[in-house]
C-alpha cells in the first residue's frame, strides 16, 4: 500500500478555501491578507507562492483555482 504525499501547497489551498467558506476572507481579497493569519509561517508560504508565479497582490481566487501543484 502506497501512501500518497500531499503537496504542502494543497494543504495551504485547503486552509485558505476553508477561510473563504467561513467568510473570514473573500476570494477577491489579495494574497497578502493571509499573511496576517499565518504569522511567523508567512515567510515560508510567501516564498512558495512566489516560486509558483504568484504575487502578494494576486486575488485569493487565483490560488484557489489551481488544480495541480506540479514542480517540474
Amino acid at each position: 500500500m502506497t501512501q500518497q504525499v500531499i503537496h504542502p501547497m494543497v494543504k495551504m489551498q485547503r486552509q485558505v478555501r476553508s477561510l473563504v467558506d467561513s467568510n473570514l476572507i473573500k476570494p477577491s481579497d489579495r494574497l497578502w491578507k493571509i499573511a496576517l493569519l499565518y504569522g511567523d509561517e508567512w515567510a515560508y508560504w510567501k516564498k512558495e507562492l512566489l516560486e509558483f508565479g504568484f504575487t502578494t497582490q494576486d486575488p485569493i481566487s487565483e490560488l484557489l483555482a489551481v488544480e495541480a501543484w506540479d514542480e517540474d
Side-chain angles (χ1 to χ4, degrees), residues 11-61:
K11 291 180 183 179
M12 180 201 198
Q13 189 180 35
R14 288 177 182 168
Q15 290 173 336
V16 171
R17 184 172 304 283
S18 176
L19 293 170
V20 169
D21 291 346
S22 301
N23 294 318
L24 294 172
I25 55 177
K26 295 183 223 117
S28 58
D29 288 339
R30 304 288 173 216
L31 285 172
W32 64 262
K33 197 165 188 180
I34 61 177
L36 304 171
L37 305 167
Y38 278 96
D40 293 343
E41 295 177 31
W42 176 242
Y44 168 79
W45 290 115
K46 181 178 178 183
K47 180 175 143 310
E48 289 290 309
L49 288 166
L50 294 174
E51 286 179 10
F52 280 101
F54 289 98
T55 72
T56 56
Q57 294 301 312
D58 289 336
I60 289 171
S61 59

Side-chain angles (χ1 to χ4, degrees), residues 56-69:
T56 56
Q57 294 301 312
D58 289 336
I60 289 171
S61 59
E62 287 189 20
L63 171 71
L64 298 178
V66 175
E67 292 182 15
W69 296 98

